Amino acid sequence: MVQHPGSVGQLADLLRQGGYLADRGLATALYLSMSLPRPILLEGEVGVGKTEAAKVLASVFGRRLIRLQCYEGIDTNQALYEWDYARQMLQIRALSEHQVAEGAVDQLFGPKFLLERPLLAAVRAGDQAVLLIDEVDRADDEFEAFLLEVLSDFQISIPEIGTVRAASPPLVVLTSNRTRELHDALKRRCLYHWIGYPPAAREVEIVLVRAPGVAEKLAQSVVSAVNRLRELDLAKPPGVAETIDWARTLDFLGAAELGPQAAEDTLGAVVKERDDLELVREHLEEITSGG
């Protein structure tokens, strides 16, 4: 298995073999992230393939994928490490029935009682891992500042054990849906790439790669309809993931192409908001027309 791509083109080919079609700009950004090495921040609309890029990178290079899913209220313990308090209590009870040896209490905070969380696991794994910090924009400012510190030196201090350092840093992919603006300090630490909706021809190609059983004619009609959906004033425009889901759903139902009735029957595969559904239903003829 290839450990490192020799060129941007080779990386693009490897990603394609893994079922991910990256354009030249994204392939170049990922190649530089792996080569320098530098964390990379991928921003874009929901469903355009930010998370999938990290997953496929881990797969094609045989690295461990370590995912830190960010959310409002996440704290450092949930990202770094925690102590296995239940196991420590069992150990204390066992010790209370026998003579307590010197240093027994210290042993309660030894490695076997340490629960790894994603950041510690990634530092220990080093360049054998891809660390995916997903939806970093959902975390608060304090957690973002903490991440910046960790990404600066890839070492973690555990008072009871010592400092854990990465011999070689993992490949770090951060994703953001821009629910809030990230601070410049974090952006400066990373390479940056914006993933937008692909051109129609490329999106058809993506559908055919990700859902190889789908006929090209059906893929083309679905992509055309999705592009018209994106022109509507939807709360949540469909991403590429929804395009693939819609094509798979229609193919499973035996549809040769996308007509108004087939679209009506399967809208739940592509539109996920009630108000959006009502708006789309008002424009079904227009959305599914070939013109």
Side-chain angles (χ1 to χ4, degrees):
M1 182 172 289
V2 178
Q3 295 299 311
H4 190 280
S7 66
V8 172
Q10 185 186 21
L11 176 57
D13 289 342
L14 289 170
L15 291 173
R16 186 186 182 94
Q17 292 171 25
Y20 190 92
L21 272 66
D23 61 23
R24 180 75 182 183
L26 177 57
T28 301
L30 293 173
Y31 175 74
L32 291 172
S33 178
M34 296 186 72
S35 303
L36 292 177
R38 291 275 300 280
I40 183 167
L41 171 61
L42 301 179
E43 283 195 326
E45 302 295 342
V46 175
V48 293
K50 304 182 295 296
T51 299
E52 192 66 21
K55 291 181 178 180
V56 175
L57 279 170
S59 175
V60 299
F61 291 105
R63 299 192 186 192
R64 176 185 173 191
L65 177 68
I66 301 174
R67 182 173 183 172
L68 174 60
Q69 178 63 52
C70 296
Y71 53 88
E72 186 177 353
I74 188 173
D75 62 32
T76 57
N77 288 336
Q78 293 156 328
L80 279 175
Y81 65 88
E82 294 179 283
W83 293 105
D84 191 342
Y85 294 117
R87 191 174 180 186
Q88 287 173 324
M89 290 301 298
L90 290 173
Q91 181 77 354
I92 290 170
R93 289 177 183 175
L95 289 172
S96 66
E97 298 172 3
H98 303 86
Q99 184 179 359
V100 178
E102 184 178 354
V105 175
D106 292 338
Q107 293 174 13
L108 291 173
F109 291 92
K112 71 177 182 178
F113 296 103
L114 189 68
L115 297 175
E116 273 189 355
R117 297 307 182 213
L119 292 182
L120 177 58
V123 168
R124 283 178 165 171
D127 61 6
Q128 297 305 302
V130 173
L131 172 60
L132 169 60
I133 303 176
D134 216 5
E135 298 184 310
V136 65
D137 53 316
R138 294 186 179 273
D140 56 27
D141 292 348
E142 290 76 11
F143 189 78
E144 187 181 326
F146 157 75
L147 276 180
L148 181 63
E149 181 180 347
V150 173
L151 296 179
S152 296
D153 49 24
F154 290 101
Q155 67 177 35
I156 294 171
S157 295
I158 305 173
E160 299 85 353
I161 294 177
T163 300
V164 180
R165 297 179 176 86
S168 299
L171 173 60
V172 181
V173 179
L174 301 93
T175 74
S176 167
N177 297 325
R178 296 199 70 183
T179 59
R180 70 172 177 86
E181 190 69 25
L182 300 177
H183 290 275
D184 288 343
L186 182 63
K187 288 185 175 181
R188 284 197 300 269
R189 183 69 188 83
C190 305
L191 297 175
Y192 178 86
H193 189 77
W194 172 268
I195 303 181
Y197 295 125
R202 174 168 286 272
E203 192 162 7
V204 170
E205 190 178 5
I206 291 170
V207 171
L208 296 176
V209 168
R210 300 293 294 183
V214 173
E216 185 173 354
K217 182 178 180 181
L218 177 59
Q220 290 172 342
S221 63
V222 169
V223 168
S224 295
V226 168
N227 275 276
R228 294 188 184 99
L229 286 174
R230 291 171 184 157
E231 294 172 359
L232 298 177
D233 187 21
L234 300 180
K236 293 187 178 180
V240 179
E242 283 73 33
T243 306
I244 296 168
D245 284 346
W246 205 10
R248 283 174 172 161
T249 300
L250 289 160
D251 178 66
F252 177 77
L253 293 175
E257 58 185 12
L258 184 62
Q261 187 58 56
E264 169 74 23
D265 293 341
T266 57
L267 273 182
V270 69
V271 180
K272 310 296 176 69
E273 288 285 330
R274 180 182 176 183
D275 291 343
D276 287 350
L277 280 170
E278 293 178 358
L279 177 60
V280 170
R281 287 190 175 109
E282 294 173 2
H283 296 82
L284 272 181
E285 290 287 346
E286 173 189 344
I287 289 166
T288 58
S289 67

